[in-house]
Amino acid sequence: MSKDDAIKIIDKIKGDGRVTLTEYDSKKILAAYDFPITKEKLARDEEEAVNFAKEIGYPVVLKIISPDITHKTDVGGVKVDVKSPGEVKTAYSELMGIKDKIKDADIHGVLIQEMAPKGNEVILGMTQDPQFGPVLMFGLGGVFVEVLKDVSFRIPPLTRFDAEDMIKEIKAYPILEGVRGGVSSDLDALVDCILKLSDLSVDLSDYIKEMDINPLFATEKGAVAVDSLVILK
Ligand code: ADP
Ligand code: MG
């Protein structure tokens, strides 16, 4: 389990001559470390899309999956809250339309995914520092990371205490406690996720150049990776 499984996936992708993993592949690496991910299946045609949506349960999310498309939203590649077989078909054909817009994009299929329960959107990341090796990053999604740069960093391996500290260090921490009627996040689940990423980063440091989980939904009970991107060395 875990490290060997992850390396098998990485070797296969390297064999294809790629360094950028799709969301689907990236989450397979996470899953190898028991990191919680959304229920999802990769559909290759419309019929599969409808069948998988039924299996997963409505409402679902549809996403374009291609190593050539790392920011899916930018190309209209994410359809959330899809509620019926009819809506799946419409969303599927709209996503396939992206093929014509981005010539030569290698499309692996359309990901059919469960809608994650309501939660705070956080970001976990890993980058390589020439001096320290892997460095982990934590922050709240959206403007908090992009505009305010409200993030914390730690060098793995982390203890439970380090992970807790990393969460409590950001200025936006009260939001995770559920101020003003917002969702209060399950901090234990968040700590577990950071510790899993810590293990993964240490084990796979020779293979992974950078990765992020953006967003991780930190819900009232649990946490789930909704999107992820891994870039290999
Ligand atoms: P991108 O490649 O553009 O980063 P994401 O997969 O992160 O695409 O999706 C963009 C946004 O859509 C997410 O930040 C999240 O708010 C929402 N979203 C995506 N997938 C789900 C899901 N399974 N459940 C609920 N919201 C989702
Ligand atoms: Mg994302």
Side-chain angles (χ1 to χ4, degrees):
M1 238 244 58
S2 70
K3 187 178 180 180
D4 289 346
D5 290 348
I7 289 173
K8 254 183 233 157
I9 299 164
I10 289 171
D11 282 343
K12 188 179 172 295
I13 287 157
K14 279 189 154 172
D16 293 343
R18 281 199 283 135
V19 290
T20 304
L21 275 66
T22 64
E23 172 182 341
Y24 184 68
D25 293 332
S26 300
K27 280 158 137 182
K28 289 252 184 285
I29 306 268
L30 289 174
Y33 280 81
D34 284 329
F35 195 108
I37 64 164
T38 42
K39 239 183 274 166
E40 57 193 39
K41 283 191 134 184
L42 190 64
R44 326 274 167 165
D45 59 40
E46 190 191 81
E47 197 189 336
E48 266 190 350
V50 171
N51 289 340
F52 291 165
K54 189 177 174 203
E55 236 174 84
I56 287 163
Y58 289 100
V60 291
V61 178
L62 273 74
K63 296 181 182 177
I64 191 82
I65 294 297
S66 164
D68 303 314
I69 303 171
T70 45
H71 299 286
K72 300 175 292 291
T73 308
D74 291 353
V75 298
V78 178
K79 308 274 184 193
V80 297
D81 205 19
V82 177
K83 294 191 188 78
S84 66
E87 284 187 26
V88 169
K89 286 179 191 166
T90 307
Y92 186 90
S93 70
E94 280 173 14
L95 290 179
M96 278 300 139
I98 293 172
K99 235 183 192 165
D100 308 323
K101 276 189 277 174
I102 306 169
K103 268 205 352 192
D104 302 328
D106 174 19
I107 309 285
H108 290 183
V110 168
L111 195 59
I112 314 298
Q113 183 172 89
E114 69 170 308
M115 276 285 283
K118 250 190 177 356
N120 291 303
E121 298 196 21
V122 307
I123 299 178
L124 286 180
M126 183 268 233
T127 50
Q128 293 283 358
D129 180 273
Q131 226 178 331
F132 301 114
V135 179
L136 303 185
M137 189 271 277
F138 169 78
L140 235 77
V143 289
F144 293 99
V145 169
E146 278 149 36
V147 183
L148 303 173
K149 313 279 183 224
D150 181 20
V151 292
S152 55
F153 296 96
R154 289 290 184 286
I155 295 166
L158 303 190
T159 64
R160 227 179 155 81
F161 178 80
D162 295 329
E164 269 170 29
D165 217 36
M166 192 178 182
I167 296 168
K168 291 182 177 164
E169 187 178 303
I170 60 166
K171 293 191 195 74
Y173 174 66
I175 292 175
L176 294 174
E177 290 184 302
V179 285
R180 300 203 182 176
V183 173
S184 77
S185 294
D186 181 344
L187 289 187
D188 277 341
L190 215 45
V191 166
D192 287 342
C193 285
I194 292 175
L195 291 176
K196 278 169 186 166
L197 187 66
S198 168
D199 287 346
L200 186 160
S201 302
V202 171
D203 280 357
L204 305 177
S205 177
D206 290 343
Y207 300 88
I208 296 180
K209 179 167 167 255
E210 57 182 83
M211 77 178 285
D212 68 29
I213 301 152
N214 181 12
L216 173 75
F217 271 34
T219 63
E220 240 156 48
K221 187 133 187 43
V224 63
V226 158
D227 184 24
S228 180
L229 175 62
V230 172
I231 313 278
L232 300 176
K233 281 184 172 171

